[in-house]
């Protein structure tokens, strides 16, 4: 066995007092109270001096294929329809090398902020073909020592082919992407955007998930109107197919527009179906975040678009997303900030079903050391990530610990 080393005098999220974290090779081997060490010489140690040590960030919702392209379009789109058309125009120029290069750059940004795992959408359709997918598969392989990448085959252009409308038949491309090794079926289910039946898209994606034994991750009900409300149907589908714990939905903005009674009923079914909800504070009007959390739903937070026609700003930093989310949900007290932390760490890891994520003996040594003495301080002050570890090896941060 490789010699262990230790981070001592560490503050850990959600725990009082000081701790000593032991690491050997790619794994955490111990997490013990600091004062249990006695005079034993345990091996080489770095003194965190009361700084925060946390499992690294998990960014559960990205768009790496179109990231860093904002300079290729004329300006910010005013609505979803315009943004889709703007991306369609630039997507035709995507090459595998171009997508791989931008994907690597964005992944590297995330790693420098402490991100150890991501889930990214990848558009497959008439405009992009499979260039974006091949580019992101390449970037994922090249970055594998620094960050885990899951890809979703995402039908940004709409599932069905409806001539004369914006809906451009990406469903058949998604099916082919699963043949090419993608493990997560995407959907862009939005009753106010497409002319087709949203439930028919849900049925088609669940059938594909069953056929390929895949998880599902939707952009769902991304509209500030009560009538674009397919969430209850998705929850029923999950339960009927036995896909509990395997489905995630992002946005569900319309949940904030329906009546309180309708919302309460839907939230209960979402909890029963064990659907993870991803909120994205690049959007101003969010869903019912607090009610979902209070009901016991697994809610995660992602960074979303990164300098593209949808969102012209960003640097893939989950800590910034948490601060934005705290502001938008009025969650700036200590207890709320502690909860928010889990949305970019443990809850996001649960959404991605990462098997060995956490801060306990046996977990992957995917950690970050932050120049703060508590979680609230880290979020409010946007503290520096001093060191980031992937599988026990330091991959970012100005402070050399090993
Ligand atoms: Zn998105």
């Amino acid at each position: 066995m490789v010699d262990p080393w230790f981070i001592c005098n560490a503050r850990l999220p959600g725990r009082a007092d000081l701790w000593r974290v032991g690491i050997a090779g790619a794994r955490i081997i111990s997490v013990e109270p600091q004062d249990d060490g006695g005079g034993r010489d345990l091996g080489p140690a770095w003194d965190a001096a009361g700084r925060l040590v946390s499992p690294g960030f998990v960014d559960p919702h990205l768009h790496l294929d179109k990231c860093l392209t904002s300079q290729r379009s004329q300006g910010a789109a005013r609505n979803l329809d315009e943004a889709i058309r703007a991306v369609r125009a630039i997507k035709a120029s995507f090459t595998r090398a171009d997508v791989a290069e931008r994907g690597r750059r964005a992944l590297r940004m995330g790693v420098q902020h402490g991100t150890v795992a991501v889930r990214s959408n990848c558009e497959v359709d008439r405009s992009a073909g499979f260039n974006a997918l091949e580019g992101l598969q390449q970037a994922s392989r090249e970055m594998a020592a620094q960050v885990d990448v899951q890809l979703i085959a995402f039908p940004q252009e709409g599932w069905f082919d409806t001539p004369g409308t914006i809906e451009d038949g990406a469903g058949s491309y998604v099916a082919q992407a699963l043949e090419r090794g993608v493990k997560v079926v995407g959907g862009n289910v939005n009753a106010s955007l497409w002319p087709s039946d949203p439930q028919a898209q849900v049925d088609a994606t669940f059938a594909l998930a069953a056929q390929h034994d895949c998880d599902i991750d939707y952009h769902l009900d991304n509209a500030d109107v009560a009538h674009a409300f397919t969430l209850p149907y998705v929850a029923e589908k999950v339960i009927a197919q036995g896909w509990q714990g395997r489905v995630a939905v992002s946005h569900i903005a319309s949940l904030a527009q329906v009546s309180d009674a309708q919302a309460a009923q839907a939230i209960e079914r979402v909890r029963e179906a064990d659907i993870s909800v991803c909120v994205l504070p690049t959007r101003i009007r969010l869903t019912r975040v607090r009610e979902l959390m209070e009901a016991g739903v697994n809610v995660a937070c992602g960074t979303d678009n990164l300098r593209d026609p949808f969102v012209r700003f960003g640097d893939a930093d989950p800590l910034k997303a948490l601060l934005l989310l705290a502001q938008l949900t009025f969650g700036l007290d200590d207890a709320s900030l502690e909860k928010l932390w889990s949305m970019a760490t443990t809850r996001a890891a649960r959404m991605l079903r990462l098997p060995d994520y956490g801060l306990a003996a046996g977990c992957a040594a995917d950690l970050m050391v932050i120049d703060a003495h508590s979680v609230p301080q880290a979020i409010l002050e946007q503290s520096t990530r001093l060191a980031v570890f992937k599988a026990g090896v330091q991959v970012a941060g100005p402070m050399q610990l090993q």
Side-chain angles (χ1 to χ4, degrees):
M1 187 173 152
V2 264
D3 289 338
W5 65 282
F6 295 84
I7 301 174
C8 59
N9 294 310
R11 298 255 175 225
L12 306 182
R15 295 188 222 187
D17 304 321
L18 293 171
W19 298 79
R20 187 177 51 244
V21 180
I23 297 160
R27 300 267 150 197
I28 295 170
I29 53 164
S30 61
V31 180
E32 295 170 326
Q34 183 62 42
D35 46 17
D36 279 6
R40 282 186 293 150
D41 183 17
L42 297 161
W46 180 77
D47 186 359
R51 292 193 186 89
L52 185 63
V53 176
S54 171
F57 286 127
V58 176
D59 195 342
H61 187 126
L62 283 167
H63 291 268
L64 290 173
D65 50 347
K66 59 194 173 205
C67 72
L68 308 173
T69 57
S70 55
Q71 74 285 359
R72 298 184 196 180
S73 68
Q74 299 302 313
R78 285 169 299 182
N79 55 46
L80 207 51
D81 184 290
E82 266 190 33
I84 288 170
R85 290 179 197 278
V87 171
R88 190 176 287 178
I90 61 174
K91 211 155 42 175
S93 69
F94 284 5
T95 65
R96 177 178 171 165
D98 160 49
V99 174
E101 189 273 327
R102 285 184 290 100
R104 273 195 308 272
R105 258 199 291 155
L107 286 168
R108 188 64 202 146
M109 280 184 197
V111 168
Q112 280 163 341
H113 298 311
T115 300
V116 296
V118 306
R119 179 181 275 185
S120 174
N121 292 275
C122 181
E123 291 167 38
V124 286
D125 47 50
R126 211 186 307 272
S127 306
F130 296 99
N131 282 340
L133 177 60
E134 289 172 3
L136 288 191
Q137 285 174 324
Q138 183 186 330
S140 307
R141 283 193 300 273
E142 289 168 348
M143 291 293 290
Q146 300 181 43
V147 59
D148 297 318
V149 180
Q150 296 182 359
L151 296 178
I152 308 165
F154 177 49
Q156 173 76 82
E157 308 281 342
W159 193 267
F160 297 104
D161 204 355
T162 314
T165 76
I166 190 179
E167 189 170 32
D168 198 33
S172 60
Y173 290 84
V174 170
Q176 290 176 67
L178 301 180
E179 309 280 353
R180 290 166 173 250
V182 175
K183 298 274 189 283
V184 186
V185 186
N188 192 0
V189 182
N190 186 335
S192 74
L193 186 61
W194 312 118
S196 61
D197 175 8
Q199 296 187 0
Q201 183 184 161
V202 172
D203 291 346
T205 44
F206 269 83
L208 279 175
Q211 188 188 337
H212 293 276
D213 191 23
C214 285
D215 291 357
I216 294 171
D217 193 316
Y218 290 145
H219 286 64
L220 179 63
D221 300 343
N222 186 12
D224 298 310
V225 291
H227 69 83
F229 193 46
T230 311
L231 177 64
Y233 184 75
V234 172
E236 297 310 322
K237 243 348 240 195
V238 171
I239 292 165
Q241 187 161 307
W243 237 242
Q244 289 93 336
R246 303 190 65 175
V247 178
V249 299
S250 290
H251 296 302
I252 54 169
S254 66
L255 182 66
Q257 305 296 324
V258 300
S259 72
D260 289 349
Q262 274 180 295
Q265 203 175 14
I267 289 170
E268 182 51 25
R269 291 303 266 171
V270 166
R271 191 193 59 73
E272 284 169 22
D274 196 7
I275 293 173
S276 287
V277 173
C278 184
V279 291
L280 301 159
T282 44
R283 201 184 197 291
I284 301 295
R285 272 179 277 185
L286 297 172
T287 188
R288 297 181 188 243
V289 179
R290 277 181 177 266
E291 285 140 285
L292 287 160
M293 296 278 279
E294 280 162 17
V297 173
N298 187 47
V299 183
C301 171
T303 62
D304 206 4
N305 299 74
L306 171 63
R307 300 183 210 164
D308 66 19
F310 283 77
V311 179
R312 301 199 84 198
F313 61 90
D315 62 355
D317 186 355
L319 198 56
K320 283 205 184 78
L322 290 181
L323 182 58
L324 277 173
L325 186 58
Q327 286 179 285
L328 291 171
T329 57
F330 309 102
L332 287 159
D333 57 287
D334 281 1
S336 297
L337 292 168
E338 296 271 1
K339 268 195 207 132
L340 283 179
W341 189 261
S342 70
M343 293 169 67
T345 54
T346 49
R347 288 167 183 271
R350 187 176 151 205
M351 171 175 150
L352 268 56
R353 303 210 295 150
L354 301 178
D356 52 2
Y357 180 89
L359 200 42
C363 291
D366 293 354
L367 300 167
M368 55 184 168
V369 180
I370 301 165
D371 195 10
H373 297 286
S374 70
V375 160
Q377 185 190 5
I379 297 174
L380 296 170
E381 298 182 11
Q382 298 286 287
S383 305
T384 304
R385 277 33 67 89
L386 292 173
V388 182
F389 295 89
K390 180 68 188 165
V393 176
Q394 187 169 352
V395 290
M399 188 172 274
Q400 283 298 319
L401 268 55
Q402 289 171 306

